[in-house]
PDB file of all heavy atoms in Angstrom:
ATOM      1  N   MET A   1     -35.377   4.455  17.354  1.00 51.00           N
ATOM      2  CA  MET A   1     -34.139   3.699  17.439  1.00 51.00           C
ATOM      3  C   MET A   1     -33.981   3.121  18.854  1.00 51.00           C
ATOM      4  O   MET A   1     -33.562   1.993  19.004  1.00 51.00           O
ATOM      5  CB  MET A   1     -32.986   4.632  17.066  1.00 51.00           C
ATOM      6  CG  MET A   1     -31.655   3.972  17.055  1.00 51.00           C
ATOM      7  SD  MET A   1     -31.573   2.794  15.716  1.00 51.00           S
ATOM      8  CE  MET A   1     -29.959   2.193  15.890  1.00 51.00           C
ATOM      9  N   LYS A   2     -34.292   3.967  19.868  1.00 53.00           N
ATOM     10  CA  LYS A   2     -34.187   3.487  21.247  1.00 53.00           C
ATOM     11  C   LYS A   2     -35.128   2.315  21.493  1.00 53.00           C
ATOM     12  O   LYS A   2     -34.780   1.368  22.184  1.00 53.00           O
ATOM     13  CB  LYS A   2     -34.492   4.616  22.234  1.00 53.00           C
ATOM     14  CG  LYS A   2     -33.377   5.611  22.402  1.00 53.00           C
ATOM     15  CD  LYS A   2     -33.743   6.606  23.477  1.00 53.00           C
ATOM     16  CE  LYS A   2     -32.650   7.597  23.716  1.00 53.00           C
ATOM     17  NZ  LYS A   2     -32.979   8.549  24.762  1.00 53.00           N
ATOM     18  N   LYS A   3     -36.349   2.403  20.900  1.00 55.00           N
ATOM     19  CA  LYS A   3     -37.328   1.337  21.103  1.00 55.00           C
ATOM     20  C   LYS A   3     -36.836   0.030  20.500  1.00 55.00           C
ATOM     21  O   LYS A   3     -36.998  -1.035  21.082  1.00 55.00           O
ATOM     22  CB  LYS A   3     -38.672   1.726  20.490  1.00 55.00           C
ATOM     23  CG  LYS A   3     -39.381   2.826  21.251  1.00 55.00           C
ATOM     24  CD  LYS A   3     -40.694   3.171  20.604  1.00 55.00           C
ATOM     25  CE  LYS A   3     -41.375   4.303  21.344  1.00 55.00           C
ATOM     26  NZ  LYS A   3     -42.649   4.669  20.720  1.00 55.00           N
ATOM     27  N   ILE A   4     -36.218   0.098  19.339  1.00 55.00           N
ATOM     28  CA  ILE A   4     -35.707  -1.110  18.684  1.00 55.00           C
ATOM     29  C   ILE A   4     -34.597  -1.728  19.520  1.00 55.00           C
ATOM     30  O   ILE A   4     -34.564  -2.944  19.724  1.00 55.00           O
ATOM     31  CB  ILE A   4     -35.220  -0.788  17.259  1.00 55.00           C
ATOM     32  CG1 ILE A   4     -36.407  -0.393  16.390  1.00 55.00           C
ATOM     33  CG2 ILE A   4     -34.473  -1.970  16.659  1.00 55.00           C
ATOM     34  CD1 ILE A   4     -36.025   0.138  15.035  1.00 55.00           C
ATOM     35  N   MET A   5     -33.687  -0.880  20.013  1.00 53.00           N
ATOM     36  CA  MET A   5     -32.576  -1.395  20.815  1.00 53.00           C
ATOM     37  C   MET A   5     -33.077  -1.997  22.123  1.00 53.00           C
ATOM     38  O   MET A   5     -32.587  -3.026  22.570  1.00 53.00           O
ATOM     39  CB  MET A   5     -31.553  -0.291  21.066  1.00 53.00           C
ATOM     40  CG  MET A   5     -30.816   0.122  19.798  1.00 53.00           C
ATOM     41  SD  MET A   5     -29.683   1.471  20.040  1.00 53.00           S
ATOM     42  CE  MET A   5     -28.427   0.641  20.985  1.00 53.00           C
ATOM     43  N   LEU A   6     -34.066  -1.342  22.752  1.00 50.00           N
ATOM     44  CA  LEU A   6     -34.629  -1.858  23.994  1.00 50.00           C
ATOM     45  C   LEU A   6     -35.339  -3.183  23.747  1.00 50.00           C
ATOM     46  O   LEU A   6     -35.190  -4.133  24.512  1.00 50.00           O
ATOM     47  CB  LEU A   6     -35.587  -0.829  24.606  1.00 50.00           C
ATOM     48  CG  LEU A   6     -36.158  -1.171  25.963  1.00 50.00           C
ATOM     49  CD1 LEU A   6     -35.038  -1.379  26.975  1.00 50.00           C
ATOM     50  CD2 LEU A   6     -37.094  -0.085  26.449  1.00 50.00           C
ATOM     51  N   LEU A   7     -36.085  -3.270  22.636  1.00 50.00           N
ATOM     52  CA  LEU A   7     -36.775  -4.507  22.294  1.00 50.00           C
ATOM     53  C   LEU A   7     -35.778  -5.631  22.051  1.00 50.00           C
ATOM     54  O   LEU A   7     -35.980  -6.755  22.522  1.00 50.00           O
ATOM     55  CB  LEU A   7     -37.658  -4.298  21.060  1.00 50.00           C
ATOM     56  CG  LEU A   7     -38.478  -5.501  20.597  1.00 50.00           C
ATOM     57  CD1 LEU A   7     -39.428  -5.947  21.691  1.00 50.00           C
ATOM     58  CD2 LEU A   7     -39.238  -5.177  19.337  1.00 50.00           C
ATOM     59  N   ALA A   8     -34.680  -5.332  21.354  1.00 54.00           N
ATOM     60  CA  ALA A   8     -33.654  -6.348  21.098  1.00 54.00           C
ATOM     61  C   ALA A   8     -33.034  -6.829  22.408  1.00 54.00           C
ATOM     62  O   ALA A   8     -32.797  -8.028  22.596  1.00 54.00           O
ATOM     63  CB  ALA A   8     -32.580  -5.791  20.177  1.00 54.00           C
ATOM     64  N   ALA A   9     -32.782  -5.908  23.323  1.00 52.00           N
ATOM     65  CA  ALA A   9     -32.191  -6.285  24.608  1.00 52.00           C
ATOM     66  C   ALA A   9     -33.149  -7.148  25.415  1.00 52.00           C
ATOM     67  O   ALA A   9     -32.748  -8.141  26.034  1.00 52.00           O
ATOM     68  CB  ALA A   9     -31.802  -5.041  25.388  1.00 52.00           C
ATOM     69  N   ILE A  10     -34.435  -6.813  25.394  1.00 53.00           N
ATOM     70  CA  ILE A  10     -35.427  -7.591  26.134  1.00 53.00           C
ATOM     71  C   ILE A  10     -35.539  -8.993  25.538  1.00 53.00           C
ATOM     72  O   ILE A  10     -35.598  -9.983  26.268  1.00 53.00           O
ATOM     73  CB  ILE A  10     -36.796  -6.871  26.142  1.00 53.00           C
ATOM     74  CG1 ILE A  10     -36.701  -5.603  27.001  1.00 53.00           C
ATOM     75  CG2 ILE A  10     -37.904  -7.790  26.637  1.00 53.00           C
ATOM     76  CD1 ILE A  10     -37.911  -4.702  26.919  1.00 53.00           C
ATOM     77  N   CYS A  11     -35.525  -9.090  24.201  1.00 50.00           N
ATOM     78  CA  CYS A  11     -35.580 -10.410  23.558  1.00 50.00           C
ATOM     79  C   CYS A  11     -34.395 -11.263  23.964  1.00 50.00           C
ATOM     80  O   CYS A  11     -34.537 -12.461  24.204  1.00 50.00           O
ATOM     81  CB  CYS A  11     -35.612 -10.254  22.039  1.00 50.00           C
ATOM     82  SG  CYS A  11     -37.197  -9.637  21.439  1.00 50.00           S
ATOM     83  N   MET A  12     -33.227 -10.645  24.055  1.00 53.00           N
ATOM     84  CA  MET A  12     -32.041 -11.403  24.453  1.00 53.00           C
ATOM     85  C   MET A  12     -32.172 -11.902  25.889  1.00 53.00           C
ATOM     86  O   MET A  12     -31.653 -12.957  26.231  1.00 53.00           O
ATOM     87  CB  MET A  12     -30.775 -10.555  24.297  1.00 53.00           C
ATOM     88  CG  MET A  12     -30.382 -10.344  22.853  1.00 53.00           C
ATOM     89  SD  MET A  12     -28.842  -9.459  22.710  1.00 53.00           S
ATOM     90  CE  MET A  12     -27.708 -10.730  23.231  1.00 53.00           C
ATOM     91  N   LEU A  13     -32.846 -11.127  26.734  1.00 50.00           N
ATOM     92  CA  LEU A  13     -32.987 -11.521  28.129  1.00 50.00           C
ATOM     93  C   LEU A  13     -33.975 -12.663  28.314  1.00 50.00           C
ATOM     94  O   LEU A  13     -33.799 -13.514  29.185  1.00 50.00           O
ATOM     95  CB  LEU A  13     -33.428 -10.318  28.971  1.00 50.00           C
ATOM     96  CG  LEU A  13     -32.384  -9.233  29.160  1.00 50.00           C
ATOM     97  CD1 LEU A  13     -33.004  -8.035  29.877  1.00 50.00           C
ATOM     98  CD2 LEU A  13     -31.214  -9.762  29.959  1.00 50.00           C
ATOM     99  N   ILE A  14     -35.044 -12.686  27.501  1.00 49.00           N
ATOM    100  CA  ILE A  14     -36.066 -13.703  27.724  1.00 49.00           C
ATOM    101  C   ILE A  14     -35.879 -14.926  26.837  1.00 49.00           C
ATOM    102  O   ILE A  14     -36.478 -15.960  27.082  1.00 49.00           O
ATOM    103  CB  ILE A  14     -37.485 -13.119  27.532  1.00 49.00           C
ATOM    104  CG1 ILE A  14     -37.678 -12.565  26.113  1.00 49.00           C
ATOM    105  CG2 ILE A  14     -37.772 -12.073  28.570  1.00 49.00           C
ATOM    106  CD1 ILE A  14     -39.098 -12.116  25.816  1.00 49.00           C
ATOM    107  N   MET A  15     -35.053 -14.827  25.804  1.00 49.00           N
ATOM    108  CA  MET A  15     -34.808 -15.985  24.933  1.00 49.00           C
ATOM    109  C   MET A  15     -33.957 -17.004  25.665  1.00 49.00           C
ATOM    110  O   MET A  15     -33.018 -16.658  26.355  1.00 49.00           O
ATOM    111  CB  MET A  15     -34.057 -15.555  23.670  1.00 49.00           C
ATOM    112  CG  MET A  15     -34.948 -14.964  22.630  1.00 49.00           C
ATOM    113  SD  MET A  15     -34.102 -14.611  21.059  1.00 49.00           S
ATOM    114  CE  MET A  15     -32.436 -14.968  21.284  1.00 49.00           C
ATOM    115  N   PRO A  16     -34.254 -18.261  25.487  1.00 48.00           N
ATOM    116  CA  PRO A  16     -33.363 -19.282  26.052  1.00 48.00           C
ATOM    117  C   PRO A  16     -32.018 -19.219  25.348  1.00 48.00           C
ATOM    118  O   PRO A  16     -31.931 -18.873  24.186  1.00 48.00           O
ATOM    119  CB  PRO A  16     -34.074 -20.602  25.759  1.00 48.00           C
ATOM    120  CG  PRO A  16     -35.379 -20.270  25.163  1.00 48.00           C
ATOM    121  CD  PRO A  16     -35.420 -18.825  24.850  1.00 48.00           C
ATOM    122  N   VAL A  17     -31.015 -19.547  26.058  1.00 45.00           N
ATOM    123  CA  VAL A  17     -29.673 -19.496  25.497  1.00 45.00           C
ATOM    124  C   VAL A  17     -29.378 -20.825  24.824  1.00 45.00           C
ATOM    125  O   VAL A  17     -29.302 -21.857  25.470  1.00 45.00           O
ATOM    126  CB  VAL A  17     -28.640 -19.198  26.607  1.00 45.00           C
ATOM    127  CG1 VAL A  17     -27.237 -19.198  26.031  1.00 45.00           C
ATOM    128  CG2 VAL A  17     -28.945 -17.873  27.261  1.00 45.00           C
ATOM    129  N   TYR A  18     -29.222 -20.784  23.508  1.00 45.00           N
ATOM    130  CA  TYR A  18     -28.880 -21.963  22.735  1.00 45.00           C
ATOM    131  C   TYR A  18     -27.548 -21.766  22.031  1.00 45.00           C
ATOM    132  O   TYR A  18     -27.335 -22.265  20.929  1.00 45.00           O
ATOM    133  CB  TYR A  18     -29.960 -22.272  21.697  1.00 45.00           C
ATOM    134  CG  TYR A  18     -31.261 -22.690  22.315  1.00 45.00           C
ATOM    135  CD1 TYR A  18     -32.354 -21.848  22.321  1.00 45.00           C
ATOM    136  CD2 TYR A  18     -31.377 -23.940  22.928  1.00 45.00           C
ATOM    137  CE1 TYR A  18     -33.547 -22.222  22.894  1.00 45.00           C
ATOM    138  CE2 TYR A  18     -32.572 -24.325  23.516  1.00 45.00           C
ATOM    139  CZ  TYR A  18     -33.653 -23.463  23.487  1.00 45.00           C
ATOM    140  OH  TYR A  18     -34.822 -23.832  24.062  1.00 45.00           O
ATOM    141  N   ALA A  19     -26.644 -21.028  22.654  1.00 42.00           N
ATOM    142  CA  ALA A  19     -25.352 -20.745  22.040  1.00 42.00           C
ATOM    143  C   ALA A  19     -24.513 -22.004  21.904  1.00 42.00           C
ATOM    144  O   ALA A  19     -23.671 -22.112  21.033  1.00 42.00           O
ATOM    145  CB  ALA A  19     -24.603 -19.701  22.846  1.00 42.00           C
ATOM    146  N   ILE A  20     -24.753 -22.949  22.781  1.00 45.00           N
ATOM    147  CA  ILE A  20     -23.988 -24.196  22.739  1.00 45.00           C
ATOM    148  C   ILE A  20     -24.788 -25.179  21.896  1.00 45.00           C
ATOM    149  O   ILE A  20     -25.897 -25.564  22.245  1.00 45.00           O
ATOM    150  CB  ILE A  20     -23.765 -24.744  24.154  1.00 45.00           C
ATOM    151  CG1 ILE A  20     -23.038 -23.698  24.980  1.00 45.00           C
ATOM    152  CG2 ILE A  20     -22.984 -26.037  24.112  1.00 45.00           C
ATOM    153  CD1 ILE A  20     -22.978 -24.029  26.437  1.00 45.00           C
ATOM    154  N   GLU A  21     -24.234 -25.572  20.763  1.00 48.00           N
ATOM    155  CA  GLU A  21     -24.976 -26.407  19.820  1.00 48.00           C
ATOM    156  C   GLU A  21     -25.243 -27.807  20.366  1.00 48.00           C
ATOM    157  O   GLU A  21     -26.322 -28.350  20.218  1.00 48.00           O
ATOM    158  CB  GLU A  21     -24.208 -26.489  18.512  1.00 48.00           C
ATOM    159  CG  GLU A  21     -24.138 -25.172  17.796  1.00 48.00           C
ATOM    160  CD  GLU A  21     -23.372 -25.290  16.492  1.00 48.00           C
ATOM    161  OE1 GLU A  21     -23.364 -26.372  15.906  1.00 48.00           O
ATOM    162  OE2 GLU A  21     -22.791 -24.307  16.094  1.00 48.00           O
ATOM    163  N   ASP A  22     -24.290 -28.396  20.969  1.00 49.00           N
ATOM    164  CA  ASP A  22     -24.467 -29.760  21.449  1.00 49.00           C
ATOM    165  C   ASP A  22     -23.886 -29.861  22.850  1.00 49.00           C
ATOM    166  O   ASP A  22     -22.722 -30.161  23.029  1.00 49.00           O
ATOM    167  CB  ASP A  22     -23.781 -30.737  20.502  1.00 49.00           C
ATOM    168  CG  ASP A  22     -24.141 -32.169  20.815  1.00 49.00           C
ATOM    169  OD1 ASP A  22     -24.982 -32.393  21.713  1.00 49.00           O
ATOM    170  OD2 ASP A  22     -23.589 -33.065  20.158  1.00 49.00           O
ATOM    171  N   THR A  23     -24.725 -29.611  23.851  1.00 49.00           N
ATOM    172  CA  THR A  23     -24.240 -29.617  25.227  1.00 49.00           C
ATOM    173  C   THR A  23     -23.818 -31.004  25.692  1.00 49.00           C
ATOM    174  O   THR A  23     -23.097 -31.129  26.667  1.00 49.00           O
ATOM    175  CB  THR A  23     -25.314 -29.062  26.188  1.00 49.00           C
ATOM    176  OG1 THR A  23     -26.508 -29.820  26.023  1.00 49.00           O
ATOM    177  CG2 THR A  23     -25.572 -27.596  25.922  1.00 49.00           C
ATOM    178  N   GLN A  24     -24.241 -32.027  24.990  1.00 55.00           N
ATOM    179  CA  GLN A  24     -23.839 -33.375  25.390  1.00 55.00           C
ATOM    180  C   GLN A  24     -22.359 -33.589  25.155  1.00 55.00           C
ATOM    181  O   GLN A  24     -21.727 -34.380  25.850  1.00 55.00           O
ATOM    182  CB  GLN A  24     -24.656 -34.412  24.623  1.00 55.00           C
ATOM    183  CG  GLN A  24     -26.126 -34.371  24.980  1.00 55.00           C
ATOM    184  CD  GLN A  24     -26.945 -35.311  24.099  1.00 55.00           C
ATOM    185  OE1 GLN A  24     -26.445 -35.849  23.128  1.00 55.00           O
ATOM    186  NE2 GLN A  24     -28.212 -35.490  24.454  1.00 55.00           N
ATOM    187  N   GLN A  25     -21.780 -32.894  24.167  1.00 57.00           N
ATOM    188  CA  GLN A  25     -20.363 -33.050  23.882  1.00 57.00           C
ATOM    189  C   GLN A  25     -19.499 -32.243  24.840  1.00 57.00           C
ATOM    190  O   GLN A  25     -18.325 -32.513  25.000  1.00 57.00           O
ATOM    191  CB  GLN A  25     -20.054 -32.627  22.447  1.00 57.00           C
ATOM    192  CG  GLN A  25     -20.670 -33.541  21.418  1.00 57.00           C
ATOM    193  CD  GLN A  25     -20.373 -33.072  20.011  1.00 57.00           C
ATOM    194  OE1 GLN A  25     -19.850 -32.002  19.800  1.00 57.00           O
ATOM    195  NE2 GLN A  25     -20.733 -33.895  19.036  1.00 57.00           N
ATOM    196  N   LEU A  26     -20.065 -31.232  25.427  1.00 59.00           N
ATOM    197  CA  LEU A  26     -19.304 -30.381  26.331  1.00 59.00           C
ATOM    198  C   LEU A  26     -19.452 -30.867  27.767  1.00 59.00           C
ATOM    199  O   LEU A  26     -20.481 -31.397  28.157  1.00 59.00           O
ATOM    200  CB  LEU A  26     -19.801 -28.934  26.244  1.00 59.00           C
ATOM    201  CG  LEU A  26     -19.676 -28.257  24.877  1.00 59.00           C
ATOM    202  CD1 LEU A  26     -20.317 -26.892  24.931  1.00 59.00           C
ATOM    203  CD2 LEU A  26     -18.230 -28.155  24.452  1.00 59.00           C
ATOM    204  N   SER A  27     -18.434 -30.640  28.523  1.00 76.00           N
ATOM    205  CA  SER A  27     -18.538 -30.995  29.932  1.00 76.00           C
ATOM    206  C   SER A  27     -19.465 -30.013  30.625  1.00 76.00           C
ATOM    207  O   SER A  27     -19.795 -28.960  30.101  1.00 76.00           O
ATOM    208  CB  SER A  27     -17.155 -30.967  30.573  1.00 76.00           C
ATOM    209  OG  SER A  27     -16.707 -29.629  30.683  1.00 76.00           O
ATOM    210  N   LYS A  28     -19.894 -30.370  31.794  1.00 80.00           N
ATOM    211  CA  LYS A  28     -20.788 -29.489  32.544  1.00 80.00           C
ATOM    212  C   LYS A  28     -20.127 -28.157  32.848  1.00 80.00           C
ATOM    213  O   LYS A  28     -20.764 -27.119  32.799  1.00 80.00           O
ATOM    214  CB  LYS A  28     -21.220 -30.173  33.847  1.00 80.00           C
ATOM    215  CG  LYS A  28     -22.162 -31.325  33.636  1.00 80.00           C
ATOM    216  CD  LYS A  28     -22.561 -31.940  34.959  1.00 80.00           C
ATOM    217  CE  LYS A  28     -23.472 -33.118  34.755  1.00 80.00           C
ATOM    218  NZ  LYS A  28     -23.868 -33.751  36.015  1.00 80.00           N
ATOM    219  N   GLU A  29     -18.832 -28.191  33.135  1.00 78.00           N
ATOM    220  CA  GLU A  29     -18.119 -26.942  33.427  1.00 78.00           C
ATOM    221  C   GLU A  29     -18.072 -26.034  32.215  1.00 78.00           C
ATOM    222  O   GLU A  29     -18.261 -24.829  32.333  1.00 78.00           O
ATOM    223  CB  GLU A  29     -16.700 -27.241  33.902  1.00 78.00           C
ATOM    224  CG  GLU A  29     -16.624 -27.832  35.282  1.00 78.00           C
ATOM    225  CD  GLU A  29     -15.186 -28.067  35.729  1.00 78.00           C
ATOM    226  OE1 GLU A  29     -14.257 -27.565  35.066  1.00 78.00           O
ATOM    227  OE2 GLU A  29     -14.999 -28.738  36.736  1.00 78.00           O
ATOM    228  N   GLU A  30     -17.815 -26.593  31.046  1.00 79.00           N
ATOM    229  CA  GLU A  30     -17.771 -25.787  29.829  1.00 79.00           C
ATOM    230  C   GLU A  30     -19.133 -25.180  29.528  1.00 79.00           C
ATOM    231  O   GLU A  30     -19.234 -24.028  29.138  1.00 79.00           O
ATOM    232  CB  GLU A  30     -17.275 -26.632  28.651  1.00 79.00           C
ATOM    233  CG  GLU A  30     -15.806 -26.981  28.741  1.00 79.00           C
ATOM    234  CD  GLU A  30     -15.388 -27.984  27.678  1.00 79.00           C
ATOM    235  OE1 GLU A  30     -16.221 -28.839  27.284  1.00 79.00           O
ATOM    236  OE2 GLU A  30     -14.227 -27.916  27.254  1.00 79.00           O
ATOM    237  N   ALA A  31     -20.184 -25.966  29.695  1.00 80.00           N
ATOM    238  CA  ALA A  31     -21.532 -25.461  29.462  1.00 80.00           C
ATOM    239  C   ALA A  31     -21.864 -24.345  30.445  1.00 80.00           C
ATOM    240  O   ALA A  31     -22.437 -23.319  30.061  1.00 80.00           O
ATOM    241  CB  ALA A  31     -22.546 -26.598  29.579  1.00 80.00           C
ATOM    242  N   LYS A  32     -21.490 -24.527  31.703  1.00 81.00           N
ATOM    243  CA  LYS A  32     -21.726 -23.504  32.724  1.00 81.00           C
ATOM    244  C   LYS A  32     -20.974 -22.221  32.376  1.00 81.00           C
ATOM    245  O   LYS A  32     -21.506 -21.125  32.496  1.00 81.00           O
ATOM    246  CB  LYS A  32     -21.285 -24.043  34.087  1.00 81.00           C
ATOM    247  CG  LYS A  32     -21.504 -23.097  35.234  1.00 81.00           C
ATOM    248  CD  LYS A  32     -21.039 -23.744  36.543  1.00 81.00           C
ATOM    249  CE  LYS A  32     -21.077 -22.770  37.678  1.00 81.00           C
ATOM    250  NZ  LYS A  32     -20.557 -23.341  38.927  1.00 81.00           N
ATOM    251  N   TYR A  33     -19.748 -22.383  31.905  1.00 79.00           N
ATOM    252  CA  TYR A  33     -18.935 -21.219  31.550  1.00 79.00           C
ATOM    253  C   TYR A  33     -19.526 -20.489  30.343  1.00 79.00           C
ATOM    254  O   TYR A  33     -19.583 -19.268  30.325  1.00 79.00           O
ATOM    255  CB  TYR A  33     -17.495 -21.650  31.265  1.00 79.00           C
ATOM    256  CG  TYR A  33     -16.567 -20.496  31.147  1.00 79.00           C
ATOM    257  CD1 TYR A  33     -16.179 -19.790  32.267  1.00 79.00           C
ATOM    258  CD2 TYR A  33     -16.097 -20.093  29.908  1.00 79.00           C
ATOM    259  CE1 TYR A  33     -15.342 -18.707  32.165  1.00 79.00           C
ATOM    260  CE2 TYR A  33     -15.256 -19.014  29.795  1.00 79.00           C
ATOM    261  CZ  TYR A  33     -14.872 -18.321  30.926  1.00 79.00           C
ATOM    262  OH  TYR A  33     -14.050 -17.244  30.818  1.00 79.00           O
ATOM    263  N   GLN A  34     -20.002 -21.229  29.354  1.00 81.00           N
ATOM    264  CA  GLN A  34     -20.636 -20.611  28.190  1.00 81.00           C
ATOM    265  C   GLN A  34     -21.885 -19.833  28.602  1.00 81.00           C
ATOM    266  O   GLN A  34     -22.143 -18.741  28.098  1.00 81.00           O
ATOM    267  CB  GLN A  34     -21.004 -21.683  27.151  1.00 81.00           C
ATOM    268  CG  GLN A  34     -19.829 -22.279  26.435  1.00 81.00           C
ATOM    269  CD  GLN A  34     -19.121 -21.282  25.550  1.00 81.00           C
ATOM    270  OE1 GLN A  34     -19.732 -20.394  24.986  1.00 81.00           O
ATOM    271  NE2 GLN A  34     -17.812 -21.436  25.444  1.00 81.00           N
ATOM    272  N   LEU A  35     -22.655 -20.384  29.514  1.00 84.00           N
ATOM    273  CA  LEU A  35     -23.846 -19.680  30.004  1.00 84.00           C
ATOM    274  C   LEU A  35     -23.466 -18.386  30.722  1.00 84.00           C
ATOM    275  O   LEU A  35     -24.141 -17.370  30.597  1.00 84.00           O
ATOM    276  CB  LEU A  35     -24.661 -20.591  30.923  1.00 84.00           C
ATOM    277  CG  LEU A  35     -25.363 -21.761  30.234  1.00 84.00           C
ATOM    278  CD1 LEU A  35     -25.982 -22.696  31.262  1.00 84.00           C
ATOM    279  CD2 LEU A  35     -26.400 -21.259  29.257  1.00 84.00           C
ATOM    280  N   LYS A  36     -22.367 -18.437  31.463  1.00 83.00           N
ATOM    281  CA  LYS A  36     -21.897 -17.245  32.166  1.00 83.00           C
ATOM    282  C   LYS A  36     -21.511 -16.147  31.165  1.00 83.00           C
ATOM    283  O   LYS A  36     -21.847 -14.977  31.348  1.00 83.00           O
ATOM    284  CB  LYS A  36     -20.700 -17.603  33.042  1.00 83.00           C
ATOM    285  CG  LYS A  36     -20.222 -16.464  33.915  1.00 83.00           C
ATOM    286  CD  LYS A  36     -18.955 -16.716  34.702  1.00 83.00           C
ATOM    287  CE  LYS A  36     -18.628 -18.109  35.040  1.00 83.00           C
ATOM    288  NZ  LYS A  36     -17.373 -18.259  35.769  1.00 83.00           N
ATOM    289  N   LEU A  37     -20.821 -16.526  30.095  1.00 80.00           N
ATOM    290  CA  LEU A  37     -20.449 -15.551  29.070  1.00 80.00           C
ATOM    291  C   LEU A  37     -21.679 -14.958  28.391  1.00 80.00           C
ATOM    292  O   LEU A  37     -21.732 -13.756  28.115  1.00 80.00           O
ATOM    293  CB  LEU A  37     -19.528 -16.187  28.033  1.00 80.00           C
ATOM    294  CG  LEU A  37     -18.109 -16.480  28.480  1.00 80.00           C
ATOM    295  CD1 LEU A  37     -17.336 -17.175  27.373  1.00 80.00           C
ATOM    296  CD2 LEU A  37     -17.395 -15.215  28.905  1.00 80.00           C
ATOM    297  N   GLU A  38     -22.679 -15.797  28.126  1.00 84.00           N
ATOM    298  CA  GLU A  38     -23.920 -15.304  27.527  1.00 84.00           C
ATOM    299  C   GLU A  38     -24.626 -14.311  28.464  1.00 84.00           C
ATOM    300  O   GLU A  38     -25.194 -13.322  28.021  1.00 84.00           O
ATOM    301  CB  GLU A  38     -24.857 -16.465  27.180  1.00 84.00           C
ATOM    302  CG  GLU A  38     -24.399 -17.275  25.998  1.00 84.00           C
ATOM    303  CD  GLU A  38     -24.317 -16.458  24.728  1.00 84.00           C
ATOM    304  OE1 GLU A  38     -25.208 -15.634  24.459  1.00 84.00           O
ATOM    305  OE2 GLU A  38     -23.336 -16.658  23.989  1.00 84.00           O
ATOM    306  N   LYS A  39     -24.573 -14.575  29.761  1.00 85.00           N
ATOM    307  CA  LYS A  39     -25.187 -13.682  30.742  1.00 85.00           C
ATOM    308  C   LYS A  39     -24.492 -12.314  30.703  1.00 85.00           C
ATOM    309  O   LYS A  39     -25.155 -11.273  30.743  1.00 85.00           O
ATOM    310  CB  LYS A  39     -25.091 -14.294  32.136  1.00 85.00           C
ATOM    311  CG  LYS A  39     -25.738 -13.479  33.213  1.00 85.00           C
ATOM    312  CD  LYS A  39     -25.628 -14.174  34.567  1.00 85.00           C
ATOM    313  CE  LYS A  39     -26.197 -13.319  35.672  1.00 85.00           C
ATOM    314  NZ  LYS A  39     -26.039 -13.952  36.988  1.00 85.00           N
ATOM    315  N   ILE A  40     -23.176 -12.313  30.595  1.00 83.00           N
ATOM    316  CA  ILE A  40     -22.429 -11.058  30.506  1.00 83.00           C
ATOM    317  C   ILE A  40     -22.833 -10.296  29.250  1.00 83.00           C
ATOM    318  O   ILE A  40     -23.067  -9.082  29.281  1.00 83.00           O
ATOM    319  CB  ILE A  40     -20.904 -11.323  30.523  1.00 83.00           C
ATOM    320  CG1 ILE A  40     -20.475 -11.826  31.900  1.00 83.00           C
ATOM    321  CG2 ILE A  40     -20.119 -10.072  30.153  1.00 83.00           C
ATOM    322  CD1 ILE A  40     -19.049 -12.341  31.957  1.00 83.00           C
ATOM    323  N   LYS A  41     -22.962 -11.006  28.129  1.00 81.00           N
ATOM    324  CA  LYS A  41     -23.359 -10.362  26.868  1.00 81.00           C
ATOM    325  C   LYS A  41     -24.758  -9.768  26.972  1.00 81.00           C
ATOM    326  O   LYS A  41     -25.023  -8.688  26.453  1.00 81.00           O
ATOM    327  CB  LYS A  41     -23.293 -11.367  25.718  1.00 81.00           C
ATOM    328  CG  LYS A  41     -21.883 -11.727  25.327  1.00 81.00           C
ATOM    329  CD  LYS A  41     -21.889 -12.760  24.213  1.00 81.00           C
ATOM    330  CE  LYS A  41     -20.489 -13.219  23.872  1.00 81.00           C
ATOM    331  NZ  LYS A  41     -20.495 -14.281  22.842  1.00 81.00           N
ATOM    332  N   ARG A  42     -25.683 -10.487  27.632  1.00 83.00           N
ATOM    333  CA  ARG A  42     -27.041  -9.957  27.792  1.00 83.00           C
ATOM    334  C   ARG A  42     -27.046  -8.698  28.641  1.00 83.00           C
ATOM    335  O   ARG A  42     -27.758  -7.742  28.351  1.00 83.00           O
ATOM    336  CB  ARG A  42     -27.947 -11.026  28.400  1.00 83.00           C
ATOM    337  CG  ARG A  42     -28.342 -12.113  27.424  1.00 83.00           C
ATOM    338  CD  ARG A  42     -29.485 -12.967  27.935  1.00 83.00           C
ATOM    339  NE  ARG A  42     -29.275 -13.542  29.240  1.00 83.00           N
ATOM    340  CZ  ARG A  42     -28.737 -14.742  29.457  1.00 83.00           C
ATOM    341  NH1 ARG A  42     -28.374 -15.490  28.441  1.00 83.00           N
ATOM    342  NH2 ARG A  42     -28.593 -15.204  30.683  1.00 83.00           N
TER     343      ARG A  42
END
């Protein structure tokens, strides 16, 4: 169980963050803020 959880955490750290579907619609500040929230979650 620990190995699965550790593997999931590592995948989250190395995966690119694509939480924002269309960054062109969002302002740079909003995109930056979304990235910050994703970093906290990781």
Side-chain angles (χ1 to χ4, degrees):
M1 182 68 179
K2 284 185 178 181
K3 289 180 182 179
I4 293 171
M5 291 177 71
L6 185 58
L7 182 60
I10 291 171
C11 288
M12 288 184 72
L13 290 174
I14 60 174
M15 279 186 356
V17 178
Y18 293 107
I20 302 170
E21 293 180 28
D22 190 4
T23 56
Q24 294 174 350
Q25 293 179 351
L26 299 175
S27 71
K28 289 181 182 179
E29 288 182 12
E30 289 172 328
K32 181 180 173 184
Y33 191 73
Q34 288 293 327
L35 290 172
K36 186 186 334 179
L37 288 177
E38 288 299 319
K39 182 179 176 183
I40 291 170
K41 288 178 184 177
R42 285 194 306 269

